[in-house]
Amino acid sequence: MSIKIGVIGCGYWGPNLIRNFAENENAELIWLCDLDENRPLTFKRRYPTIKTTSNFQDLIDDSTLEAVVIATPVTTHFPLAKAALEAGKHVFVEKPFTASVKEAAELVELAAKKGLNIFVDHVFLYTGAVRKIKTLIDSGELGELLYFDSTRVNLGLFQRDINVVWDLAPHDFSIMDYLIGREPQQLSAVGSSHIAPDIENVAYVICKFDDEFIAHFHFNWLAPVKIRQMLIAGSKKMIIFDDNEPSEKLKIYDKGVDTTGDKESAYETLVSYRTGDVWIPKIDGTEALKSACHEFLLSIIEKRQPFTDGEAGLRVVRMLENAQISIKNGGNFVKV
């Protein structure tokens, strides 16, 4: 069985989506759409049977089209996805899902009413590295989780319509949401706008949970180097996830501290440091976007919700929106 697919947006990320859906045996790529009518035409040589247009309504009006892939600026996600859902089509939406919690909630409700699927492209959740971390956490290998620390910085790409949090944080927020499996209780964020007024290019976010677990994020478009690194600490072991590493992306450290005595009294608690081996596990090297596209198609064929569904997208947008509120309020903690 193959699902008839149309892609809206052939710019930065669109070509990767086009390639993966065109090469998947469960998909039949029918339409390509972009406001720049020349962009879709560049794919005609490789995919000569594909129809191209600069008007997304052509896809909405095609009754044979079963699913629409949206790879456009975030401000357009809601109207495009809503139109597709109302026309009875499943939707695949790039991150971030929508520009507000209200929009995300409305789309989730509409999809449920229509019996359709929403897939949000939290692509890192389909990487072998993140899946391996989840396995280690669920197995108890790390022990009790203590904190989550993430750095995602580079020089550019500067956006005109969204700030650095809305651009970069969906990756890290979605990873934390998946690995930790619960939402934070409070969130605080601060940021600075050095290039364009009111568009933060540097930001720091702190998430507090209902226990001692805490998460911290650093996002930056104005760094001299590209860093994609996470530290996830447990009471037994700790993990470094460095996405810039070509092969050794994960390192598990058998390091930590052990305490004895009365933990309620700082004067009676004895702390000993534990140093053990470093383990570099083998991880699945399958392209994450390939796995993501395949999951979207299978969820339609098998008539089930996809792994990264609209609810997952809504949870991430909720954190993004609260981070924005906190930034505008001087970093005050906001209830999530």
Side-chain angles (χ1 to χ4, degrees), residues 116-144:
L116 297 167
N117 285 5
I118 293 175
F119 182 99
V120 183
D121 189 19
H122 294 157
V123 70
F124 273 90
L125 274 57
Y126 295 91
T127 62
V130 172
R131 291 295 182 94
K132 184 66 176 179
I133 295 171
K134 181 64 171 175
T135 299
L136 292 167
I137 290 173
D138 289 350
S139 69
E141 186 88 11
L142 302 188
E144 178 188 357

Side-chain angles (χ1 to χ4, degrees), residues 299-320:
S299 71
I300 298 171
I301 294 168
E302 296 173 357
K303 298 181 179 179
R304 59 170 174 81
Q305 286 299 302
F307 172 51
T308 49
D309 60 5
E311 290 286 353
L314 172 59
R315 291 194 299 272
V316 169
V317 171
R318 186 178 293 121
M319 284 190 277
L320 293 170

Side-chain angles (χ1 to χ4, degrees), residues 12 16 22 46 51 54 62 70-71 107 112 117 160 163 173 213 245 257 330:
Y12 174 69
N16 296 316
R46 183 176 297 177
K51 293 180 281 189
S54 59
D62 186 345
I70 300 170
L107 292 180
N117 285 5
R160 296 181 179 181
N163 67 10
F173 286 174
F213 182 79
E245 281 284 344
V257 297

